[in-house]
Amino acid sequence: MSIYARYFLSFPIRCTIAGHKHHFGGTMKLGFIDFLQQHGFSQQQANMLHRDTETIDLPARTIFLHQADKLAYLYFVSEGLCQACYHTADGKRFSKEFYWSGDCIINFQSLLKQQASPYSLETLSASSLVRLPINQVQIWRQTNHACYQHLLETQLLYKENKERFMLLHTPQERYQLFSQQFPELASSLTDYQLASYIGITPISLSRIKKRLRN
């Protein structure tokens, strides 16, 4: 999320940290220390925080936080593509957000209310993640640190953009906007993932694609 420049003010996809451009599918790898230094920490403080982190390299299609699990970490995506996904009792899946290089993944509902995660986190490609114990983020929150403010404001802007995207555009416009702004991402997702993100069924998406081809 994450999450940040690019189309951030106009399109509800989390973006990379300021000063960087995302190259989906490329080899670009962004550092957590750089992120921390850009958001209120000195080099010494960033290095000390980094000692508390762990880097995990995961293959594609790996769930690294299950729905209903307790929130234990903030995740920073160094490389790869991940998603947050809701799972329903009848087996349906709904893509909530996508994250890529430079994004922080944090569940504010779980953080603020001390609740289990209402969604899962999963890699969509081979990914390298840095995870920081969530108690550090609680300290940022209690001290109103600039990094916490950045994470919170980023999420608020994302939510407003997603709301506007869903309310002001037809399903076909949503698909076209998504495909135009993020062609590589769109081509890497299944119809089910893309349809659930833009708020339609896979059948409706198939009909839209057919209509646009004709």
Side-chain angles (χ1 to χ4, degrees):
M1 206 59 113
S2 23
I3 205 195
Y4 315 34
R6 216 175 33 173
Y7 306 106
F8 184 70
L9 294 178
S10 60
F11 202 84
I13 293 283
R14 300 178 71 85
C15 305
T16 56
I17 59 178
H20 295 280
K21 292 187 74 175
H22 168 71
H23 298 279
F24 180 75
T27 59
M28 186 176 184
K29 194 167 185 175
L30 300 172
F32 187 50
I33 290 178
D34 293 333
F35 171 82
L36 293 172
Q37 287 186 259
Q38 289 190 26
H39 298 291
F41 291 99
S42 67
Q43 182 174 357
Q44 182 179 14
Q45 291 171 326
N47 287 332
M48 289 181 64
L49 278 169
H50 197 259
R51 293 177 193 148
D52 292 332
T53 67
E54 179 185 5
T55 299
I56 54 176
D57 296 313
L58 302 174
R61 311 296 175 187
T62 301
I63 295 176
F64 55 95
L65 177 69
H66 289 270
Q67 188 166 301
D69 277 359
K70 181 180 178 181
L71 180 68
Y73 300 100
L74 172 148
Y75 293 91
F76 177 84
V77 185
S78 292
E79 193 171 28
L81 175 67
C82 305
Q83 76 163 344
C85 184
Y86 290 107
H87 301 258
T88 66
D90 58 357
K92 294 180 180 178
R93 293 161 54 93
F94 295 94
S95 296
K96 175 182 179 291
E97 292 183 57
F98 300 110
Y99 310 86
W100 50 45
S101 300
D103 288 345
C104 282
I105 307 175
I106 181 168
N107 184 327
F108 277 102
Q109 180 177 329
S110 297
L111 178 72
L112 298 176
K113 295 189 174 183
Q114 304 297 304
Q115 295 177 346
S117 177
Y119 51 79
S120 67
L121 297 174
E122 175 185 8
T123 60
L124 296 180
S125 69
S127 301
S128 180
L129 308 176
V130 178
R131 63 185 190 185
L132 177 73
I134 201 64
N135 67 301
Q136 288 289 350
V137 182
Q138 289 286 16
I139 293 172
W140 301 351
R141 179 189 173 214
Q142 292 162 7
T143 58
N144 199 30
H145 193 277
C147 192
Y148 181 78
Q149 286 296 113
H150 168 74
L151 294 171
L152 186 59
E153 289 172 8
T154 295
Q155 189 66 15
L156 285 171
L157 285 172
Y158 168 82
K159 294 297 185 185
E160 288 205 353
N161 291 333
K162 181 69 180 288
E163 179 184 80
R164 183 166 58 250
F165 174 72
M166 298 297 290
L167 290 175
L168 300 184
H169 298 288
T170 66
Q172 180 170 315
E173 288 171 340
R174 284 180 234 149
Y175 168 69
Q176 289 175 302
L177 282 169
F178 190 102
S179 299
Q180 289 165 7
Q181 301 284 16
F182 304 95
E184 293 177 275
L185 176 57
S187 64
S188 74
L189 299 175
T190 65
D191 280 358
Y192 193 99
Q193 290 167 336
L194 179 51
S196 70
Y197 181 77
I198 63 175
I200 60 177
T201 66
I203 293 175
S204 295
L205 179 58
S206 178
R207 289 171 179 164
I208 290 171
K209 286 183 173 181
K210 184 177 179 180
R211 185 161 58 244
L212 291 172
R213 285 195 298 265
N214 293 336

